[in-house]
Amino acid sequence: MNKFKFEKLIIWQKAMDFGEEIDQITENFPAKEKFNLSSQIRRATDSIALNISEGSIGQSNPEQHKFVGYSIRSLAEVVTCLFKAKRRNYITIERFDSFYLQSHSLMNMMIAFRKNLK
């Protein structure tokens, strides 16, 4: 039973799933990253879904357009954090590639969604 508009949005659902997957991989980051890269990537990935939901509650499509833009920026931040994690050998190249493809797919979905807002 979806009571909020954003719950029906595929981009929100995908962002929620993506956030949980990112959260799981940070459990394997070194303890020294707890307040650094681990925290940064979790906050950025959570921000994707949070901004989608916040924008969908707004009173206008331009406002929703703005918040989807924030989500796209947060996704770019996540991708950069993934590059950092790969370079520091916190994740395998295979995990990185999987998350990178998911990120690219989600970005394309968000861009298409935003273009359809009038």
Side-chain angles (χ1 to χ4, degrees):
M1 172 170 44
N2 297 335
K3 295 194 181 223
F4 291 94
K5 178 182 170 183
F6 60 83
E7 292 176 272
K8 298 174 189 170
L9 298 175
I10 300 297
I11 58 171
W12 179 81
Q13 295 168 14
K14 296 272 187 195
M16 290 291 289
D17 293 342
F18 185 65
E20 297 312 307
E21 289 181 51
I22 292 292
D23 185 67
Q24 287 177 352
I25 66 158
T26 62
E27 294 295 321
N28 297 320
F29 285 13
K32 70 178 185 175
E33 293 291 4
K34 182 177 181 182
F35 299 109
N36 294 313
L37 190 61
S38 295
S39 175
Q40 188 71 31
I41 196 170
R42 284 194 323 271
R43 285 182 288 114
T45 197
D46 286 347
S47 182
I48 299 167
L50 290 167
N51 278 303
I52 292 168
S53 62
E54 187 174 353
S56 75
I57 301 298
Q59 300 299 313
S60 67
N61 281 349
E63 186 175 3
Q64 189 169 14
H65 186 277
K66 177 177 71 173
F67 278 92
V68 173
Y70 296 154
S71 293
I72 292 167
R73 290 175 182 162
S74 292
L75 180 58
E77 186 176 343
V78 170
V79 171
T80 300
C81 289
L82 288 169
F83 271 104
K84 290 282 191 186
K86 179 180 77 163
R87 287 177 172 218
R88 295 174 185 174
N89 296 314
Y90 301 159
I91 59 174
T92 64
I93 292 172
E94 293 79 20
R95 289 301 305 259
F96 172 83
D97 289 345
S98 175
F99 283 120
Y100 188 86
L101 290 174
Q102 281 182 282
S103 298
H104 192 261
S105 175
L106 181 56
M107 180 189 65
N108 286 336
M109 291 173 66
M110 289 191 294
I111 289 169
F113 178 81
R114 189 171 66 165
K115 282 182 181 177
N116 286 320
L117 292 172
K118 307 238 182 218

